[in-house]
């Protein structure tokens, strides 16, 4: 009987942790979508790494304004500013 309670408790804790993580990912996703719209960004890629493992990976919109190629894991982005 103790094993059943321990298992149920462990599963409940895991579900709560997963739910909190999902809420954080939704916040990241919403922020990215708002940033794209507000800053007129053609597209972006976001990755969250925890303990050496990718726990969130999302790609948004297009690589540039010239074509409709979607952002992917292979997309290349410029880092820095052109107006310096």
């Amino acid at each position: 009987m103790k094993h059943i309670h321990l298992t149920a408790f462990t599963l409940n804790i895991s579900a709560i942790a997963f739910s909190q993580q999902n809420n954080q990912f939704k916040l990241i996703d919403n922020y990215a979508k708002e940033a794209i719209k507000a800053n007129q960004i053609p597209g972006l890629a976001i990755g969250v790494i925890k303990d050496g493992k990718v726990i969130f990976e999302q790609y948004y919109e297009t690589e540039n304004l010239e074509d409709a190629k979607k952002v992917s894991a292979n997309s290349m982005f410029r880092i820095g500013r052109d107006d310096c």
Side-chain angles (χ1 to χ4, degrees), residues 30-45:
N30 289 339
Y31 177 79
K33 289 175 181 175
E34 289 176 20
I36 288 169
K37 185 186 271 187
N39 297 294
Q40 300 176 347
I41 300 169
L44 58 94

